[in-house]
Amino acid sequence: MKAKQDKLAGIIQKEISNIIQFELKDPKVGFITITDVRVSGDFSQAKVYVSFLGKEERKEAGMKALERSKGFIRSQLAQRLSIRKTPQLFFFHDNALEQGYKIERIIADIHKQ
């Protein structure tokens, strides 16, 4: 069952990226990266983890724009997937990249000393 979840998560990640990049007209979304998608065991929910390029205000505006566009993204996703019910989408900000950069800077500072 886990293999099906992972496969569906990969497909959803690719399709949402395409929808946001080519079909979503909201400029407040900005430059976004879908970092991960996790699908529930019954395939009814999908947690979509995103990261934004830019300052904190840009991230907040991007998350609000995604929340406003959630219905459109889900309807476009439904047209592209060949499953009975399209999962409900939940967007979360993924700050792993920022934490990674912070750790790299700390390590670089330690090596300088």
Side-chain angles (χ1 to χ4, degrees), residues 5 8 96 105:
Q5 283 175 289
L8 181 60
R105 279 185 269 144

Side-chain angles (χ1 to χ4, degrees), residues 47-97:
K47 293 181 181 179
V48 181
Y49 294 90
V50 299
S51 73
F52 296 91
L53 185 64
K55 298 186 179 187
E56 191 63 35
E57 301 84 30
R58 187 61 137 151
K59 296 170 193 168
E60 291 174 13
M63 286 301 291
K64 287 179 183 176
L66 281 176
E67 286 299 318
R68 281 193 308 270
S69 304
K70 189 187 297 191
F72 172 77
I73 294 169
R74 187 175 183 209
S75 67
Q76 292 297 309
L77 191 60
Q79 293 175 8
R80 298 168 185 227
L81 297 178
S82 58
I83 56 177
R84 284 188 190 143
K85 186 177 178 187
T86 305
Q88 186 175 4
L89 303 175
F90 297 95
F91 291 98
F92 296 95
H93 181 256
D94 185 4
N95 59 359
L97 292 175

